[in-house]
Amino acid sequence: MRKARTVYEAVCDRVEQGVAQLKHVYFLKISNSGNLELDSLRLLTMEQALADLAYFITSMNQKYKYNNPKWITFGGSYPGALSAMFRSRYPELTAGAVASSAPLNFKLDFYDYADVVQSVLSQTPVQNDANLRCDELVRSAISQMQTLSLTKEGRAQLNKQMQTIKDHFSLSPPFDDKTTKQDIANFFGNVFNIFQGMIQYTYDGRNEVSKQYSTARQACDIMNKPGDLIDNVWELAKFEADKVDGDPIDSFSNSYTADMDFYKQTDYDKMGEGAASYKESIFSQSGWYWLSCNEMGYLQTTDGDSIFGSTIPINLFYDMCTDMFGPAINASYVRDGNKAVVASWNGVDDFDATNLCLPNGKFDPWSALGYYNADKTRNIVPVVIEGAAHCSDMYPVYDGEPAALPEARQKIKDFLSGIICMSTHDDADHPRGSSSSLSLGFLLIISLFALL
């Protein structure tokens, strides 16, 4: 436990405050089992995570003999969803929650992600002789690539064209006679990842990368370069790997089987020598895929009518779930698990909670799954942030940040003040789940090893 010091901490001088930060154990090395085999993964569920949070708060209250403390949970992205869900499952344990960029609509076919990316690109101005918007440039490039992918001759052209890019950039492996439909869908999934990496944190104060490099502005400037549009896609791929990921590449992953083999590494201790961060990355990504296959959904297809065409079908994700986790985790399993979670939470339109603040950036693709039903009686406060992206309100202030952020942060602070600083007689009329003591406030930050 530490003293409060971040942008939303210390919102009330009359209340002593502290901060605890929890990490989802399955997104780190699993100390008990040391692996991500199916028997172990079955314990990785949202309900178990919520129960663990409840156990932590209850244990802290008992250990330190806290008398009616005001616990406030914070989370961004998937932890944001947990923060909001905790207010519904265990309202008696916290006074309120801030759930930033929380995807509370557990949608199986999440084609809306691509729709928001398109919207962001369409709002990023470029100038060219053809009078094409940035999103139209991307649509044309993807359409050309999709057409080429349909024939042996076209795939050979994609191989050759990529090799002409500077620094001997190439597909690994190249398309050949053994190329499958899964390989082609996986190829477009990896292409889509380039744009995801550029847009999801665009203009966030997360770090210098999100401020300067992983931005819609940079993506559109590269796509708008004179010359061949497919060449521009590969130029953007190299830029994203170098400037955004910090991992320059000379090839582009192009094997469905190889990608699945990466995620199927299940025993931490048998991965051999190597950086701990690399091993933990495998575990965090595999754990995330398990949550998606087992219950959450969030399968980022292009099944809608977006600029990315019909390149990434939902069947690709069903195949991935089976190939990563075994034949029992098939399409029916994935669909049934997702339906059960949606039914359990009554759907996003009937979400049951009180004292909840829900910030969402309009440029965040995950905002399509957010909750926006304001309710004064239950103290539900959605905060929509124009021009901002994923978890944008959680990062430090910086010069040149999206203009709507200061007002959004103030709304969140006002929400917190109303809960933490309210007087005892105000508590009597406050929605259920609020505690009454003014003597102690704790901010519980829920986090993952890796964000969405």
Side-chain angles (χ1 to χ4, degrees):
M1 186 75 68
R2 63 172 172 80
K3 292 289 186 180
R5 63 172 181 268
T6 66
V7 66
Y8 296 135
E9 301 165 22
V11 295
C12 182
D13 294 336
R14 296 185 288 115
V15 179
E16 181 182 354
Q17 297 168 58
V19 178
Q21 183 168 358
L22 303 186
K23 292 188 177 182
H24 206 313
V25 66
Y26 273 88
F27 291 83
L28 299 169
K29 177 182 177 182
I30 301 178
S31 58
N32 292 331
S33 64
N35 69 69
L36 281 177
E37 297 288 356
L38 190 57
D39 286 345
S40 175
L41 281 168
R42 291 192 187 280
L43 300 174
L44 174 52
T45 66
M46 293 185 290
E47 288 289 358
Q48 184 60 56
L50 297 176
D52 290 344
L53 291 173
Y55 179 80
F56 172 81
I57 292 176
T58 302
S59 298
M60 291 290 287
N61 290 343
Q62 293 174 349
K63 180 177 181 179
Y64 295 104
K65 297 180 173 57
Y66 294 144
N67 181 24
N68 291 326
K70 288 178 177 286
W71 287 93
I72 310 289
T73 60
F74 283 75
S77 199
Y78 164 60
L82 292 181
S83 184
M85 294 160 71
F86 195 74
R87 282 297 301 154
S88 178
R89 280 291 188 264
Y90 301 94
E92 72 282 1
L93 292 180
T94 60
V98 177
S100 298
S101 297
L104 288 169
N105 181 359
F106 300 107
K107 190 171 185 180
L108 184 63
D109 191 341
F110 184 22
Y111 58 80
D112 318 66
Y113 190 110
D115 293 340
V116 178
V117 171
Q118 175 176 338
S119 176
V120 174
L121 295 175
S122 72
Q123 297 176 62
T124 305
V126 294
Q127 292 184 343
N128 52 64
D129 292 339
N131 252 352
L132 292 175
R133 298 190 311 268
C134 180
D135 62 307
E136 292 172 325
L137 294 171
V138 175
R139 182 190 294 275
S140 180
I142 299 299
S143 178
Q144 292 176 42
M145 296 171 79
Q146 185 175 20
T147 299
L148 290 172
S149 74
L150 297 177
T151 65
K152 179 180 178 179
E153 294 74 20
R155 293 191 291 273
Q157 184 176 334
L158 282 172
N159 290 337
K160 182 178 180 181
Q161 187 166 3
M162 198 167 188
Q163 291 171 350
T164 64
I165 303 297
K166 66 178 183 178
D167 301 328
H168 308 289
F169 196 43
S170 62
L171 289 174
S172 179
F175 289 119
D176 57 23
D177 292 339
K178 298 179 181 179
T179 296
T180 66
K181 289 183 178 179
Q182 285 179 326
D183 287 326
I184 294 172
N186 188 62
F187 165 79
F188 282 106
N190 290 335
V191 171
F192 186 36
N193 284 343
I194 301 168
F195 293 92
Q196 291 174 299
M198 294 298 296
I199 301 303
Q200 181 161 305
Y201 294 99
T202 189
Y203 312 127
D204 277 2
R206 186 184 190 194
N207 50 37
E208 289 306 311
V209 170
S210 60
K211 296 176 191 176
Q212 299 184 39
Y213 298 117
S214 60
T215 68
R217 175 75 277 149
Q218 289 280 11
C220 288
D221 284 348
I222 291 172
M223 288 304 303
N224 195 44
K225 286 185 176 182
D228 188 274
L229 287 174
I230 297 179
D231 288 350
N232 290 349
V233 171
W234 300 136
E235 189 70 29
L236 183 60
K238 289 183 67 67
F239 178 89
E240 197 266 342
D242 183 14
K243 298 295 186 180
V244 179
D245 293 339
D247 185 21
I249 56 176
D250 57 13
S251 63
F252 189 77
S253 178
N254 193 40
S255 168
Y256 172 81
T257 301
D259 284 354
M260 291 304 98
D261 287 345
F262 173 87
Y263 294 116
K264 283 157 61 176
Q265 301 178 77
T266 59
D267 194 319
Y268 191 100
D269 294 324
K270 291 183 179 179
M271 290 179 186
E273 297 298 324
S277 60
Y278 170 77
K279 296 179 180 181
E280 288 163 353
S281 173
I282 295 174
F283 265 52
S284 66
Q285 291 180 64
S286 297
W288 174 255
Y289 275 122
W290 167 254
L291 281 169
S292 297
C293 296
N294 188 51
E295 54 182 347
M296 294 189 312
Y298 301 156
L299 306 180
Q300 295 165 36
T301 75
T302 58
D303 286 339
D305 184 25
S306 78
I307 57 177
F308 297 98
S310 55
T311 53
I312 311 171
I314 198 167
N315 285 341
L316 172 66
F317 293 97
Y318 292 151
D319 289 344
M320 290 171 64
C321 292
T322 300
D323 290 335
M324 279 191 280
F325 304 116
I329 315 303
N330 54 26
S332 295
Y333 179 97
V334 175
R335 288 193 295 264
D336 291 346
N338 181 253
K339 287 179 182 177
V341 164
V342 171
S344 175
W345 292 94
N346 299 318
V348 71
D349 291 332
D350 297 315
F351 186 68
D352 176 24
T354 62
N355 293 351
L356 183 59
C357 184
L358 299 132
N360 274 289
K362 284 291 289 292
F363 278 13
D364 176 16
W366 291 94
S367 67
L369 303 183
Y371 186 86
Y372 299 97
N373 298 334
D375 188 326
K376 291 184 178 180
T377 302
R378 294 189 295 136
N379 195 26
I380 303 295
V381 183
V383 179
V384 178
I385 313 170
E386 294 289 340
H390 199 55
C391 302
S392 57
D393 60 286
M394 301 183 75
Y395 298 115
V397 176
Y398 74 94
D399 291 339
E401 68 178 9
L405 271 172
E407 181 181 356
R409 290 194 188 98
Q410 188 58 53
K411 289 180 180 178
I412 300 166
K413 289 180 180 179
D414 291 344
F415 166 83
L416 292 170
S417 294
I419 294 174
I420 298 176
C421 305
M422 70 175 93
S423 65
T424 303
H425 69 269
D426 287 336
D427 277 354
D429 298 324
H430 215 69
R432 68 184 178 95
S434 298
S435 54
S436 59
S437 172
L438 283 183
S439 61
L440 208 57
F442 292 114
L443 310 184
L444 180 59
I445 301 175
I446 311 166
S447 66
L448 292 181
F449 185 78
L451 293 175
L452 305 188

